[in-house]
Amino acid sequence: METLNAAELLAALGHESRLAIFRLLVEAGPTGVNASAIGEQLGMAPATLSFHLAHLSRVGLIAGERESRFIHYSANFATMDDLIAFLTSNCCQGEACLPKTTCCDTTEKRRAKTGKTA
């Protein structure tokens, strides 16, 4: 991942509403959530929610799929995985310094923990 791309992703997550949306979608897993349910759970007006969903989609953190008249959103776990790998790459010169992320300090370990393969 390029530094500019990582900065763009982090900037998108740097807004409280977008971070809340992304965390909700991460918690929902690959099945995702439809837009109206996201709005209800987070108490966001439809226009505001639409603006934030569009921004997260544009940078590639989430994806929307139309199902009849609804749009179902899910987190883009590959992009999240790439961002986490970028942020933790060569951390502390290879020393174990992040106790909360030790179990998932590489892409392979994160995927193994979730049962996902490349």
Side-chain angles (χ1 to χ4, degrees), residues 25-62:
L25 293 174
V26 167
E27 290 173 7
T31 57
V33 180
N34 72 44
S36 60
I38 295 169
E40 288 173 14
Q41 289 182 40
L42 298 178
M44 276 188 209
T48 302
L49 177 64
S50 179
F51 171 80
H52 291 304
L53 289 169
H55 189 111
L56 290 168
S57 292
R58 191 170 40 259
V59 299
L61 284 166
I62 66 171

Side-chain angles (χ1 to χ4, degrees), residues 92-109:
C92 298
Q93 299 176 6
E95 299 294 320
C97 62
L98 302 170
K100 293 181 181 177
T101 57
T102 300
C103 68
C104 56
D105 61 353
T106 66
T107 303
E108 293 77 25
K109 287 182 182 177

Side-chain angles (χ1 to χ4, degrees), residues 72-114:
H72 205 79
Y73 288 93
S74 60
N76 184 335
F77 290 97
T79 300
M80 181 180 78
D81 194 31
D82 289 343
L83 180 60
I84 292 168
F86 174 83
L87 292 172
T88 58
S89 175
N90 301 316
C91 182
C92 298
Q93 299 176 6
E95 299 294 320
C97 62
L98 302 170
K100 293 181 181 177
T101 57
T102 300
C103 68
C104 56
D105 61 353
T106 66
T107 303
E108 293 77 25
K109 287 182 182 177
R110 283 192 300 280
R111 288 185 179 144
K113 187 171 179 142
T114 62

